[in-house]
């Protein structure tokens, strides 16, 4: 297993201009914000980036822009999963050609598949490229759970399957991946409230949409844990957790965009039919951000 990819990965928000098009200039600012904060990688066209509302052409624009803006400073992970195998292969090969470092494969979600069908899809897409592949397990959306045994079998059979983003919200499953399968696959936890616990338990890293809003604070938690300062990391976590909790307790995608806008980076509104935050929810996010202290360390 490759241990090259570790740490905090920002699941980038996708900003939209008033006419509904991707706001490329603001996207570049969001990329720089995370990299300047010290994150270990950025993710284009993930769930936080409203991938389900993007056309294939927009996804490639997004991926190409992020790769160009990152400019080798950190790895770029491109979500190239699709509702058909052929489309996922086309997107994956295009992202590889553009210079993506890792491909992330969400499994088809429009028509829930069996585990066997899902495994076949993953194998076919992963084998169509040569760069590392990250599985994306989010059963609440796809209807299929990639359990630890299935994940291990995939990693052992397909050489370039190196990582998994586990967004199952199943802590027991996450612990099994971290403690029993790290010899074949690196586990990134995609449920932001598990961030501190996952890093302490020894996960390869975390993929956090909240890192758009509080990148410095999340990086501080990660670095303190890596340095062995668990007391300092816990103190930092206690400071940032209320913000993460606030963002996750209201509609998440508009919450991330609202958080960015409150911090001077106008990310626009979500794509319809997703609505912007209500005044009440916006006030909750604003209050949590206002109470945030400076990062420890």
């Amino acid at each position: 297993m490759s241990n090259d990819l570790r740490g905090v990965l920002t699941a980038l928000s996708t900003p939209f201009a008033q006419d509904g098009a991707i706001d490329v200039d603001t996207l570049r600012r969001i990329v720089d914000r995370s990299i300047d904060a010290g994150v270990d990688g950025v993710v284009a066209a993930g769930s936080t980036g409203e991938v389900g509302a993007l056309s294939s052409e927009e996804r490639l624009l997004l991926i190409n822009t992020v790769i160009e803006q990152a400019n080798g400073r950190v790895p770029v992970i491109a979500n190239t999963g699709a509702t058909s195998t052929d489309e996922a292969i086309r997107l994956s090969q295009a992202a590889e050609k553009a210079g993506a470092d890792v491909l992330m494969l969400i499994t088809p979600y429009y028509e829930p598949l069996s585990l066997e069908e899902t495994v076949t899809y993953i194998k076919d897409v992963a084998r169509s490229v040569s760069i590392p592949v990250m599985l994306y397990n989010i059963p609440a959306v796809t209807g299929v759970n990639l359990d630890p045994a299935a994940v291990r079998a995939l990693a052992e059979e397909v050489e370039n399957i190196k990582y998994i983003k586990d967004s199952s919200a199943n802590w027991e499953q996450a612990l099994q991946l971290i403690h029993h399968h790290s010899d074949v696959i690196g586990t990134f936890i995609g449920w932001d409230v598990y961030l501190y616990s996952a890093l302490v338990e020894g996960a390869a890293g975390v993929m956090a949409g909240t890192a758009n809003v509080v990148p410095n604070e999340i990086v501080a938690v990660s670095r303190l844990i890596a340095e062995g300062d668990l007391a300092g990391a816990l103190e930092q976590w206690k400071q940032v957790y209320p913000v993460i909790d606030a963002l996750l307790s209201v509609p998440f995608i508009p919450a991330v965009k609202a958080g960015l806008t409150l911090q001077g980076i106008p990310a626009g509104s979500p794509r319809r039919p997703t609505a912007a935050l209500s005044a009440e929810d916006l006030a909750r996010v604003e209050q949590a951000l206002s109470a945030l202290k400076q990062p420890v360390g």
Side-chain angles (χ1 to χ4, degrees), residues 258-296:
L260 283 164
T261 300
L262 287 167
Q263 295 174 320
I265 302 180
S269 298
R271 279 238 168 119
R272 296 185 299 172
T274 303
L277 287 188
S278 67
E280 180 181 358
D281 289 342
L282 178 60
R284 178 169 185 178
V285 171
E286 187 171 13
Q287 182 180 15
L289 282 170
S290 298
L292 187 64
K293 299 177 183 179
Q294 292 299 311
V296 174

Side-chain angles (χ1 to χ4, degrees), residues 5-297:
L5 192 64
R6 300 190 67 84
V8 174
L9 311 177
T10 301
L12 295 167
S13 178
T14 301
F16 297 119
Q18 288 189 346
D19 65 0
I22 293 174
D23 184 341
V24 171
D25 290 339
T26 300
L27 175 61
R28 293 181 185 278
R29 289 181 64 192
I30 294 172
V31 171
D32 283 343
R33 173 182 168 83
S34 272
I35 295 176
D36 290 346
V39 302
D40 301 287
V42 289
V43 185
S47 298
T48 306
E50 300 178 71
V51 63
L54 302 173
S55 68
S56 293
E57 290 69 26
E58 286 177 318
R59 289 176 71 177
L60 290 176
L61 171 63
L62 194 67
I63 289 166
N64 289 338
T65 301
V66 172
I67 290 169
E68 181 181 296
Q69 191 65 24
N71 194 28
R73 292 177 289 170
V74 297
V76 173
I77 299 89
N79 177 23
T80 54
T83 53
S84 76
T85 299
D86 289 345
E87 179 66 0
I89 288 173
R90 186 181 80 83
L91 288 168
S92 298
Q93 291 178 341
E96 179 179 33
K97 184 177 180 180
D101 297 282
V102 177
L103 301 180
M104 183 170 71
L105 295 182
I106 190 170
T107 55
Y109 48 85
Y110 181 75
E111 179 66 28
L113 304 179
S114 67
L115 180 59
E116 181 181 1
E117 289 171 321
T118 301
V119 166
T120 299
Y121 158 86
I122 290 169
K123 289 179 182 178
D124 288 344
V125 180
R127 286 169 171 158
S128 75
V129 295
S130 59
I131 60 177
V133 166
M134 175 184 289
L135 308 179
Y136 184 4
N137 187 39
I138 183 166
V141 173
T142 65
V144 178
N145 181 47
L146 295 173
D147 63 83
V151 170
R152 184 179 189 93
L154 277 165
E156 288 180 331
E157 182 176 348
V158 184
E159 184 178 2
N160 62 325
I161 293 178
K162 301 292 187 182
Y163 311 104
I164 180 170
K165 176 191 177 184
D166 186 69
S167 294
S168 66
N170 182 330
W171 185 236
E172 181 180 2
Q173 177 167 295
L175 288 176
Q176 290 175 3
L177 286 167
I178 293 167
H179 290 288
H180 299 318
H181 303 290
S182 61
D183 58 323
V184 295
I185 197 160
T187 296
F188 285 80
I189 299 300
W191 213 254
D192 296 38
V193 291
Y194 292 163
L195 188 151
Y196 173 82
S197 300
L199 292 174
V200 170
E201 288 286 348
V206 293
M207 188 181 297
T210 54
N212 287 279
V213 182
V214 282
N216 291 285
E217 293 79 4
I218 288 176
V219 167
V221 173
S222 176
R223 285 183 175 168
L224 288 165
I225 291 172
E227 293 166 2
D229 183 0
L230 296 187
L234 182 58
E235 179 62 27
Q236 175 63 27
W237 177 242
K238 288 178 179 177
Q239 293 179 22
V240 73
Y241 174 80
V243 177
I244 293 174
D245 183 47
L247 291 167
L248 287 167
S249 65
V250 300
F252 185 65
I253 288 171
V256 169
K257 291 195 160 186
L260 283 164
T261 300
L262 287 167
Q263 295 174 320
I265 302 180
S269 298
R271 279 238 168 119
R272 296 185 299 172
T274 303
L277 287 188
S278 67
E280 180 181 358
D281 289 342
L282 178 60
R284 178 169 185 178
V285 171
E286 187 171 13
Q287 182 180 15
L289 282 170
S290 298
L292 187 64
K293 299 177 183 179
Q294 292 299 311
V296 174

